[in-house]
Amino acid sequence: MRTDLHRHLDTPLAAVRNLGILAHVDAGKTTLTERILYLTGTTHKRGEVHDGTTVTDFDPQERDRGITIFAAAVSCSWDAHRINLIDTPGHVDFSDEVARSLRVLDGAVAVFDAVAGVEPQSEAVWRQADRYGVPRIAFVNKLDRAGADLDTAVESIRERLHPAPLVVQLPIGSEAGFTGVVDLPRMRSLVWPEGRDTVEEGPVPEALRDAAEGRRRQLEEAVAELHPGALEEFCAEGTLSARTLTAALRDLTRSGDGVVVLCGSAYRNRGIEPLLDAVVAYLPSPRDVPAVRGTWDGGEQERFADPAAPFAALVFKVNGTATGRLTYLRVYSGTIGKGETVWDSGTGRTERIGRILRVQADHHAPLERAVAGDIVAVVGLKSARAGSTLCAPGAPLVLEPPTVADPVVSVAVEAVGSAEAELLVSALTRLVEEDPSLVVRTDPETGQLVLSGMGELHLEVAVEKIRLAQGLDVRVGRPRVAYRETVVRGVSGLVHRHVKQDGGAGEFAHVVLDVEPLEDVPGDDDGDGDGGATRFEFRSTVVGGRVPQEYVRALEAGCRDALADGPLGGHPVTGVRVVLTDGATHPKDSSERAFRTAGRFALREALRACAMVLLEPVADVTVTVPDDAVGGVLGDLAARRGQVSGSVARAGVVVITATVPLVELFGYATRLRSRTRGRGVFTARPAGYAPAPSTAASGTVTR
């Protein structure tokens, strides 16, 4: 089945698969990617994460840390199909990198640890895939580990992710004795002998025949419950043919009603070939997914995956290299050749495509053209950013960009020497171009440059990238978190009268406001990852035309202006409802400007009269520690104001779950390693906001 990638540059769309590898950190994503590249003949030596020899973890920081930080694209061929594959990060700090990749993918392989099952970040990336409607198949990895159990992992998928898991394999052997699988749809065995790279196909072992037939029956019943066509055959024949079962599994995968579950051990090179077969059989091609939708001039448009249609592509990644700026595209429709001109609908600029490259992580192969369904990199674009839409100049279109979560952690950065200050600003600008989840601003009070991101590791990696790439000596201040303020007890009938007369036309606005808290505690209720940071509601109960509608809209805009700086410490205000109950206008002096100004000052006055509380970002933390270190870890979590929600014992370790203020997690990795002699690990993901201690409101925390 090994084929040369370059023979398939003109692969038909139906034989293309654009997929990502998703998982919690250390579940084995990168090792799986390496085995796929090796088995498809793309590489001739198996790369190892622990040796720093992997293709996709090519950045020095990734090799030093042993984790994936940047999404890396590679291409390979399997069974006359071209697979464009993106290996995504598993650490929560880089979840925006995952989101940008998911936005342009047609399918994904979700990797789960056979011992741990569904872990926190597994769940987070699964929800991201739900948001973008990406079909998935599941691969339960590390089945050769002590304590590995396929059924337990599948049950965690059912309970925590809520799809219908459709298990199509039965393991042969367990833990260190895991040697192969029974392929249930075709009722055959696939065995990988020790020390060999090839799979041996044979009949189902006699000792497993009854178990395999029982599992096959369970699979048929589960599929028949979900698929009308399979149900019809099952009722008529009492069983399902391999052809019907495969077709039904494909339909259920693409609709999201079920998830096919396979198993194996990527490190030992077992289970990779049937996984690739499943990718080809069950995940959609660009032709199988709905047409991409965009807007232009107030109307909605569709673009189908047709090479002959007008060109449309979405930029999902920008990367600066020593040889130039690479812009990564997913081509949704049309064809583009090198030297041709494209239009950036966001900036309104036309740009010329210098070169088109097929990406192999940090290596690239030149292409003459890219067609619908391709994921490629181009050289020559100067203004395109992640989320930009590129289209044919005569067929304008704007595609929905990936969502970007609000940053939650900030650090002050400054160059050691004054001569390097301008270089630092330039380096930070390039950094933000490459990673939209980073934000750079100048603090108006201190004049410091402030870099904000998704977590402590995220900022650490960003600063180290500047040091390595630019050779700059950068000083970093203590990370600061993004606090919010909210109303816990409001005010009613606050009267504000804005009058201004200084010659010429005056300004007049009279408003009466009620300010009250929203019913729900601010949190990430909408699933957009912003922690509920923008929860605000405005309405008017004024009748009789006392305040015209255009003035009401201006008043609301003024209230939104006032939300930027709360009375406790100048933090943004969230979780508040404002009701305009009465007002008055002047026939000459009232204007939208006057009412916007009145809204800003009236809400500021009202907030000073309200009972306010400071909110701090909190994180859901999962800590895995040895049995003998549990007491010390629990005590440390309590000292960090953590609220422990549960603990589960598993094979010599205890998994502790807790909610901890984000500000208390700075330096926790070092402290945990010290308390557990390097054996403890933890993960954290944002969980919204919670009330902060009263000392924070008095100024002991910084913005």
Side-chain angles (χ1 to χ4, degrees), residues 118-135:
V118 176
E119 297 174 272
Q121 188 60 10
S122 310
E123 191 171 352
V125 296
W126 189 274
R127 301 301 174 213
Q128 286 179 308
D130 282 341
R131 191 179 310 155
Y132 290 107
V134 177

Side-chain angles (χ1 to χ4, degrees), residues 643-664:
Q643 296 182 354
V644 176
S645 55
S647 62
V648 178
R650 293 179 185 163
V653 299
V654 175
V655 180
I656 302 167
T657 54
T659 301
V660 185
L662 192 62
V663 71
E664 300 287 356

Side-chain angles (χ1 to χ4, degrees), residues 568-593:
L568 294 181
H571 311 290
V573 178
T574 184
V576 61
R577 178 187 292 114
V578 176
V579 182
L580 174 65
T581 60
D582 200 2
T585 63
H586 187 277
K588 291 185 178 180
D589 293 345
S590 290
S591 64
E592 292 183 22
R593 176 180 174 180

